[in-house]
Amino acid sequence: MNRKYAHLSIRQLCLFLLSATCCLNTALSQSLPERLGYPADAKLLILHADDLGMSHAENQASFEGLLSGAVNSASIMAPCPWLAEAATFARGFAKADMGLHLTLTSEWKYYKWGPVAPRNAVSSLLDSLGYFYADCATLAAHARPEEVEIELRAQIEKAKTMGIQPTHLDSHMGCLFFTRPEFFQIYLKLGREYQIPAMVGRDMLAQLPAAAGVTLSDKDVVVDRIFTAGPDDYKGGMAAYYERTLRALEPGVSVLLMHLAYEGPEMRAITHEHPDWGAAWRQADFDFFTGDTCRKILAEEGIQMITWKELGKLMK
């Protein structure tokens, strides 16, 4: 017997074990809002801006959204050219909920980036010019899992070296979700190791091929649902999509992903010949989430904003 409990009588030990089992069962049966200290029927929402570090326009619009409280979470791309500016903001805005947007692709036509790790250590992740591949499918066809892990670790460590204390992890373009189970397992492994949530949703698990055969532990934080607009939503109007999504939000913990940037010469050049998730799309995201309509809907629907920092406490 563990010496810590050696002084207990058999009866005391039995009562202790019964109490511990009851507490565990209670925790497992609670909804995620209840585990966070909210009522079971609470509508909790993380408004999350992706792609910080990608460009100056992306950074500045996202900073404005965070400082105004229009959004309350964001994630940074460590391989990208404007990382230093995002890191400076993260260091100076201690209450910011800043995660890492783990990046293995470089999707724009003329605006490219490559790995944080030495190129000779992650050569399977790179095209003939030394950049990341442009899409998840090509990455999955070539990448060796051990090199994926090397690169993702390098991104996390570089961010930490620059003073970013990541509150969570997520995946650029969903490449760690939609491709190979080995990649998804690495993603979860890193979240557990660094003791921060790796964004996973219950709705996502039901449809992601990469989740096949992957076992979640009681240390993994799984939100109830994740929303993000797609090209058809953009064609129908971003404000209409976001209002519809917020009005229909169900109890639980949800994450709504968006991309905030100022439409201008920089973003138009970056997103050249790529209207999906392009400059106009990102300006539309900024306009909706920093406008009065969004705040009004949140209040009318009784939606409470929370952060990944709160969710991260469940892993400690």
Side-chain angles (χ1 to χ4, degrees):
M1 181 185 293
N2 189 316
R3 290 183 181 180
K4 182 177 179 181
Y5 304 112
H7 66 286
L8 297 177
S9 68
I10 295 297
R11 180 175 181 277
Q12 289 173 318
L13 184 59
C14 288
L15 289 172
F16 170 80
L17 292 173
L18 179 61
S19 174
T21 301
C22 289
C23 289
L24 177 60
N25 289 337
T26 299
L28 291 174
S29 66
Q30 286 181 320
S31 66
L32 191 50
E34 289 174 303
R35 292 175 62 194
L36 293 168
Y38 295 90
D41 61 352
K43 297 179 183 179
L44 306 179
L45 179 64
I46 297 174
L47 288 177
H48 179 88
D50 272 353
D51 289 4
L52 275 74
M54 186 188 81
S55 71
H56 180 60
E58 192 86 27
N59 283 350
Q60 291 299 309
S62 300
F63 299 164
E64 183 173 340
L66 288 162
L67 290 170
S68 69
V71 299
N72 65 335
S73 178
S75 56
I76 299 169
M77 302 171 74
C80 291
W82 283 86
L83 169 65
E85 184 181 51
T88 299
F89 177 83
R91 291 194 303 269
F93 188 33
K95 71 175 185 177
D97 186 41
M98 307 288 278
L100 292 181
H101 200 45
L102 298 174
T103 302
L104 296 172
T105 47
S106 180
E107 67 271 32
W108 310 113
K109 184 174 182 178
Y110 297 127
Y111 186 69
K112 310 299 288 183
W113 50 77
V116 170
R119 279 176 163 75
N120 61 2
V122 293
S123 59
S124 71
L125 311 185
L126 309 179
D127 66 15
S128 61
L129 298 176
Y131 299 122
F132 284 144
Y133 294 110
D135 59 81
C136 297
T138 309
L139 168 74
H142 292 87
R144 290 191 285 271
E146 62 271 21
E147 295 187 3
V148 168
E149 183 168 348
I150 288 170
E151 173 59 22
L152 298 183
R153 285 185 181 279
Q155 292 182 21
I156 296 170
E157 290 302 323
K158 180 174 183 177
K160 290 172 68 69
T161 297
M162 296 183 73
I164 300 166
Q165 299 301 320
T167 58
H168 64 284
L169 305 174
D170 55 59
S171 173
H172 182 54
M173 297 174 67
C175 293
L176 299 173
F177 308 146
F178 296 111
T179 54
R180 293 165 55 180
E182 308 98 298
F183 297 174
F184 190 59
Q185 188 65 66
I186 292 166
Y187 171 68
L188 294 176
K189 173 184 175 182
L190 292 172
R192 295 164 185 165
E193 183 175 321
Y194 285 92
Q195 293 190 295
I196 54 177
M199 186 183 73
V200 178
R202 295 188 187 283
D203 55 345
M204 183 174 82
L205 288 172
Q207 56 185 300
L208 295 188
V214 174
T215 302
L216 294 171
S217 77
D218 59 356
K219 292 295 184 181
D220 296 310
V221 176
V222 181
V223 301
D224 294 292
R225 57 200 70 86
I226 300 169
F227 299 100
T228 189
D232 288 341
D233 303 309
Y234 175 62
K235 292 172 186 173
M238 298 303 277
Y241 167 76
Y242 290 126
E243 178 163 359
R244 197 164 57 244
T245 300
L246 292 173
R247 294 287 187 194
L249 199 70
E250 297 178 1
V253 176
S254 301
V255 181
L256 180 51
L257 306 173
M258 84 288 292
H259 305 82
L260 308 181
Y262 299 129
E263 184 181 11
E266 182 192 29
M267 284 305 302
R268 285 195 293 268
I270 288 171
T271 62
H272 177 69
E273 295 184 4
H274 200 309
D276 292 342
W277 292 277
W281 180 319
R282 292 167 191 252
Q283 181 71 58
D285 277 6
F286 176 84
D287 292 343
F288 179 82
F289 287 103
T290 59
D292 293 336
T293 299
C294 181
R295 286 188 286 270
K296 180 181 177 183
I297 294 171
L298 294 175
E300 290 176 351
E301 298 297 329
I303 297 170
Q304 301 178 69
M305 292 171 65
I306 64 166
T307 65
W308 284 107
K309 284 184 178 180
E310 292 177 64
L311 290 170
K313 292 176 182 178
L314 299 177
M315 296 185 70
K316 305 300 182 183

